[in-house]
Amino acid sequence: MARLLPLLVIALGIFFWYRSRRSAAGRPGAAASSAPGLSKEAAALGLLPQDRQVADRLMRDPQIDGAREAAERGAWEPAAGAMAAIGRDWERRTALVIALARVAAEEDAWLTAWEAACPGDPGAAAVRARSTVFLAWELRGGSSAKETSAEQFEGFHRVLLRAREDIARAVELDAEDPSPHVSDLWAGLGLGYPHAYVDELWTEITTRAPFHFEAHYGALQYWCAKWHGSAELARDFADKAASGAPAGTLLPALRLIAHFEHLDRPLNGKHYGTPEVTAMTDAVLADLPAVRPDHPRLAEVRHLLAFFLVQQKRHAEALEQFRAVDGYVGALPWDYFGNPAKLYCDYRERAVQGAR
């Protein structure tokens, strides 16, 4: 009997441990707190687990999403209606053009039907121009130049040249709309437009929309060292744009993007704690209250801010940004890495725990 007593104690211990686990699993919130990328503290704040983060979208925008989802189903009329409703709101018009163009780059039968039903429609022309640019980049692929085949490069440049024709037609149909010129910036990344041409193109854009964030983002990419500029040129461009912008344009965020783009190890926290970078972060925070709630790039700037604030160990401020964007992670900086949702949740958890 004495020999059996230790075994009995062990068996009882296993029984009570198993029963406690069953009981915990039945409590409200227990399943959510054990989900990947979601601690009990994060679940208590109403934050979503990793598998509910949408990795290919920046935010939920009913107007733009409705038009895009209709296009995905093959219907062009909602797209045309959304374009008419947005009118001369250039920031949102460009965002709508981009969303629809992504669909058309995959399947354009609905866009062809729109063009046939409404010949000379400038909205359809703007979507066609940007979709041709997207198609070219899809043909190239996302690999580095040394890993991209000659056939891929040939198709890439051939379609970009065709995109220039589509861009010219869209400009002709609506001379006031900056969206086709913004598309031309992205064509220029691939075709290697000379600096002088981009300077002229930039004048065309800023004459129409001087504080257009999407245009500034595209131009900043051109001036980055990885494309046709340098770290110095990119930072100078960002500084000039941010310093001359009125409140509410999000343009101070360009400094953060220029900084991030030129880091060899962007996840290394040592790059973010200097007084200069802290001041740049504070400038973006100060701009947010004046930004219109439906600005199509507001969510991306919040994502970027959350990342910088975590790196600066300003966890409570970071958590405020995470709570504003949770559920959609198709944004800088997460989508520069292999698993955006995981990286997002990892940084979010650092904010949750650090803010306790």
Side-chain angles (χ1 to χ4, degrees), residues 120-325:
D121 187 304
V127 173
R128 174 64 70 188
R130 189 59 178 262
S131 72
T132 310
V133 174
F134 279 137
L135 179 59
W137 285 96
E138 288 182 8
L139 290 173
R140 183 198 182 280
S143 301
S144 64
K146 65 181 180 180
E147 296 174 340
T148 303
S149 70
E151 290 78 11
Q152 285 174 298
F153 272 123
E154 189 278 328
F156 177 50
H157 290 120
R158 173 172 43 80
V159 176
L160 281 181
L161 290 173
R162 192 176 85 209
R164 296 200 69 188
E165 298 175 5
D166 292 338
I167 290 166
R169 181 170 183 272
V171 170
E172 181 181 351
L173 289 172
D174 189 346
E176 296 180 17
D177 184 3
S179 302
H181 297 288
V182 177
S183 298
D184 203 13
L185 281 172
W186 290 94
L189 258 66
L191 293 173
Y193 289 169
H195 290 186
Y197 179 86
V198 172
D199 287 339
E200 293 175 5
L201 178 57
W202 191 241
T203 299
E204 294 291 337
I205 292 171
T206 53
T207 297
R208 293 162 173 79
F211 307 112
H212 194 293
F213 185 89
E214 183 68 41
H216 279 81
Y217 177 77
L220 177 59
Q221 291 297 314
Y222 174 89
W223 293 114
C224 281
K226 64 183 179 181
W227 289 111
H228 306 293
S230 65
E232 182 179 6
L233 287 171
R235 287 168 182 152
D236 286 349
F237 175 83
D239 281 338
K240 182 178 179 181
S243 61
T249 61
L250 293 176
L251 293 185
L254 295 174
R255 293 189 178 116
L256 300 186
I257 298 170
H259 180 76
F260 176 81
E261 289 281 7
H262 292 92
L263 298 175
D264 291 332
R265 298 175 63 194
L267 298 182
N268 190 325
K270 72 178 184 180
H271 298 304
Y272 300 90
T274 66
E276 179 187 12
V277 177
T278 300
M280 292 190 303
T281 307
D282 288 340
V284 181
L285 282 168
D287 191 52
L288 287 187
V291 180
R292 52 190 283 189
D294 67 344
H295 193 297
R297 295 299 285 269
L298 173 58
E300 183 151 49
V301 171
R302 288 192 183 278
H303 278 284
L304 196 64
L305 267 175
F307 173 78
F308 272 72
L309 289 165
V310 168
Q311 298 286 27
Q312 294 167 14
K313 296 182 170 53
R314 299 164 65 177
H315 296 117
E317 293 170 278
L319 184 56
E320 182 181 350
Q321 303 305 321
F322 280 119
R323 296 184 73 175
V325 298

